Amino acid sequence: MPIDPKRDALVIVDVQNDFCPGGSLAVPEGDQVVPVLNEYAGRFWAAGAPIYASRDWHPAKTRHFEEYGGAWPPHCVQGTWGAAFHPDLEFPPAARVVSKGMDPNEDAYSCFQAVDAEGRGFAGALRERGVSRLWVGGLATDYCVRATVLDARKEGFEVLVLEDAVKGVDVAPGDSARAIEEMQAAGARFVRLGMP
Ligand code: VGL
Ligand code: ZN
């Protein structure tokens, strides 16, 4: 499926150290999405299509963490190693970072809760650039990828999930498989661009 720079954007979801092996909330084999996303980012860059990378970007105290009533161990705390993008993730210079989870009262799994460097909401930033179709990869299939894809569909974007560039946590067995069914039921298609 060809990339159309007039309407397509690549969305790289939360490929951060804490979500990769060695991190505090590691997705099994999470780092395996990195070379695939590097390849895809290179193609979007070559096609002149926009690229967004989201990051989970929490304060040290947030209701998202177990200690303060949430579901998770501390992860992706602003400015820490765990919050940094995986060191092998290559961003073309045109890639834009969007951040989410800064509000200590909200989980913010979805990129549609993220803001860009100028504080603009993700959906608005996409529409401003004429984007109507998202190619989504990253971590984790059953949390931020799922939430982002479902919100994208609600917001009226076409969605292609890069099936070889996502990995799930599976806190409960089968979570990722269920998330994939939900995304498909919401109208997302699963594709792979294919590695050379
Ligand atoms: C995520 C759990 C907690 C994710 C973020 O990026 O999928 N998962 N915070
Ligand atoms: Zn989080």
Side-chain angles (χ1 to χ4, degrees):
M1 185 146 354
I3 298 161
D4 178 355
K6 288 203 185 64
R7 63 174 173 146
D8 285 334
L10 176 64
V11 182
I12 298 173
V13 178
D14 295 7
V15 181
Q16 294 164 273
N17 286 322
D18 270 339
F19 295 129
C20 292
S24 66
L25 194 47
V27 176
E29 304 179 339
D31 54 340
Q32 288 186 13
V33 302
V34 171
V36 186
L37 287 167
N38 285 345
E39 166 70 24
Y40 291 178
R43 292 193 209 178
F44 273 72
W45 170 236
I51 299 167
Y52 290 89
S54 72
R55 60 182 182 182
D56 215 25
W57 194 242
H58 298 303
K61 280 189 194 172
T62 162
R63 289 192 195 177
H64 185 58
F65 295 167
E66 274 157 357
E67 205 186 331
Y68 308 101
W72 306 105
H75 61 276
C76 299
V77 173
Q78 294 165 15
T80 64
W81 170 85
F85 290 113
H86 188 285
D88 298 336
L89 191 64
E90 294 162 8
F91 289 127
R96 292 168 195 216
V97 174
V98 295
S99 306
K100 62 186 175 61
M102 294 80 85
D103 182 338
N105 293 309
E106 123 187 321
D107 289 305
Y109 295 119
S110 167
C111 288
F112 286 87
Q113 291 166 282
V115 293
D116 67 12
E118 287 83 47
R120 213 169 7 179
F122 187 51
L126 292 171
R127 290 200 180 100
E128 207 166 279
R129 292 173 82 178
V131 172
S132 61
R133 189 167 72 167
L134 305 180
W135 303 61
V136 181
L139 307 171
T141 309
D142 35 356
Y143 288 94
C144 289
V145 171
R146 170 186 176 277
T148 299
V149 166
L150 296 181
D151 276 354
R153 293 296 302 139
K154 282 184 204 141
E155 293 276 350
F157 292 91
E158 252 186 90
V159 180
L160 305 173
V161 180
L162 293 161
E163 62 185 357
D164 51 349
V166 293
K167 289 277 180 197
V169 201
D170 287 318
V171 172
D175 279 353
S176 294
R178 278 188 292 276
I180 288 168
E181 282 170 22
E182 278 180 275
M183 292 187 269
Q184 283 172 330
R189 280 184 291 163
F190 280 68
V191 299
R192 53 178 73 214
L193 283 172
M195 295 289 277

